[in-house]
Amino acid sequence: MFRQTILAAFAAGMLIHGGAAVAQTYKSEYRLSTVLNTAFPWGQAGERWATLVREKTGGRINIKLYPGVSLVGGEQTREFTAIRQGVIDLAVGSTINWSPQIKELNLFALPFLMPDEKAVDALIHGEVGRELFRIIERREVIPLAWGENGFREVSNSKRAIAAPSDIKGLKIRVVGSPLFNDIFTALGANPTQMSWADAQTALASNAVDGQENPLAVFFSAKLPGIGQKYLTLWHYISDPLIFVVNKDVWAQWTPADRELVREAALQAARENVENVRKGDASLLRQIESGGTVVTTLTDEQRRPFIEATRKVYEKWARNIGADLVRKAEAAIEKR
Ligand code: X2X
């Protein structure tokens, strides 16, 4: 009899809390926000998460992808606030876009902090990553997994960049917190903040000369086709993605379903990081064979860029929190 009641309650979309049946219906659709669509690893990661959740929950949790940050009219730096407010149920979001609300996420944009993938892993899979998740959770958003947009390389339509003097005077599109303005100003460039949607128009009309984004974005957004002829691999920052859920949505799900959503996020994130990393070599070949002039900085050539942005690094390290930055530096040192 009791068993039947439980089954009937589930069938009616009711959940059992502490033995008492409460009428609680899952939403028919949960809205997942990303900036990029499924032509990019980022959008694919969101889609994969949605698919895995649907499979694992037998369709109880139905997630739909809203790329182009369309739920906030393309204003990617307002995404985190919209997640808190419940306009967005889930997101796979960039640390860059959420750093205006969570200053600690600027950590990943400290110029030349992370020289390689191992350094990224030392942060996201270590104590620093756990601390950042606690900070996000205190802001009432539930973080589940770390993915990757990738190392951001600089491109422009005017000339090859091999030294800070080459970047002088170039109009460079940036997004995120004022940290990016500070970096490019210190290098003598002319940074201008705008959304990704506006950036593509601005690049196509030559309103700006250049931009910075990972190889997969540069390639799949077809930036060479709109005049971005010069690409410099300088690995100045890497941009992790974070898989999150709005906290009221999270609370609404049964503990068992929450675990399934978490597992799905971890799996989708792991696959996303693998895809981004193993895709880079072949992307680079395609970019080069398409006629883009690629400049790969040697360690020696990176040094003047590091020196030119050192004061910006120190200023923002204080802003982010000296303790957290020291912890990150130590973890990278030990990698
Ligand atoms: O706007 C960008 O450059 C992008 C797509 O990489 C981010 O959302 C941070």
Side-chain angles (χ1 to χ4, degrees), residues 34-36 40 42 69 76-77 79 93-98 149-150 152 173-176 180 194-197 199-200 211-214 217 239-241:
T34 58
V35 176
L36 300 176
F40 302 82
W42 186 342
V69 261
Q76 66 213 61
T77 51
E79 188 183 49
S94 151
T95 53
I96 292 177
N97 295 331
W98 298 352
N149 191 20
R152 299 177 75 91
R173 173 270 174 173
V174 293
V175 71
F180 287 87
M194 67 185 78
S195 71
W196 173 240
Q200 294 170 88
Q211 63 85 47
E212 44 76 59
N213 250 301
V217 181
D239 179 18
L241 300 176

Side-chain angles (χ1 to χ4, degrees), residues 80-319:
F80 189 79
T81 306
I83 301 163
R84 295 193 63 183
Q85 292 170 341
V87 174
I88 291 170
D89 297 315
L90 306 95
V92 178
S94 151
T95 53
I96 292 177
N97 295 331
W98 298 352
S99 62
Q101 287 82 37
I102 308 171
K103 68 176 167 68
E104 291 87 350
L105 290 181
N106 282 297
L107 176 71
F108 299 100
L110 281 179
F112 304 101
L113 167 68
M114 299 174 292
D116 50 34
E117 289 162 356
K118 280 207 174 101
V120 177
D121 288 341
L123 300 190
I124 61 178
H125 299 309
E127 179 48 32
V128 168
R130 285 190 288 277
E131 187 165 334
L132 289 168
F133 270 16
R134 284 193 294 272
I135 289 167
I136 293 171
E137 213 161 334
R138 280 205 292 275
R139 306 293 293 276
E140 305 188 313
V141 169
I142 311 297
L144 298 178
W146 291 97
E148 191 151 285
N149 191 20
F151 274 100
R152 299 177 75 91
E153 319 295 4
V154 64
S155 75
N156 81 97
S157 58
K158 294 277 201 272
R159 55 184 171 261
I161 299 171
S165 56
D166 299 321
I167 209 172
K168 243 191 186 70
L170 293 180
K171 257 194 155 174
I172 306 286
R173 173 270 174 173
V174 293
V175 71
S177 77
L179 167 54
F180 287 87
N181 290 55
D182 287 356
I183 293 172
F184 285 90
T185 301
L187 292 171
N190 230 326
T192 165
Q193 289 264 348
M194 67 185 78
S195 71
W196 173 240
D198 290 345
Q200 294 170 88
T201 318
L203 289 164
S205 67
N206 292 316
V208 295
D209 303 314
Q211 63 85 47
E212 44 76 59
N213 250 301
L215 291 184
V217 181
F218 180 79
F219 182 75
S220 296
K222 302 189 171 64
L223 298 192
I226 51 171
Q228 291 295 288
K229 181 148 181 66
Y230 303 97
L231 178 66
T232 292
L233 307 186
W234 63 342
H235 267 44
Y236 86 124
I237 66 168
S238 175
D239 179 18
L241 300 176
I242 309 179
F243 291 58
V244 300
V245 180
N246 164 280
K247 93 164 188 327
D248 296 330
V249 168
W250 185 251
Q252 185 186 61
W253 292 333
T254 62
D257 277 346
R258 282 182 218 153
E259 250 350 273
L260 296 175
V261 172
R262 183 194 302 279
E263 275 171 23
L266 288 166
Q267 184 178 337
R270 199 167 48 241
E271 292 175 9
N272 159 238
V273 173
E274 276 168 23
N275 287 344
V276 167
R277 293 183 185 180
K278 74 167 191 272
D280 271 2
S282 110
L283 277 174
L284 191 55
R285 277 195 301 277
Q286 293 180 73
I287 288 167
E288 279 183 309
S289 68
T292 300
V293 179
V294 177
T295 306
T296 307
L297 297 190
T298 61
D299 285 348
E300 194 140 321
Q301 285 173 313
R302 281 172 101 232
R303 205 163 305 129
F305 287 95
I306 297 172
E307 279 159 18
T309 53
R310 194 63 210 174
K311 281 214 172 72
V312 174
Y313 182 109
E314 281 158 9
K315 168 184 160 189
W316 279 85
R318 286 191 296 276
N319 188 1

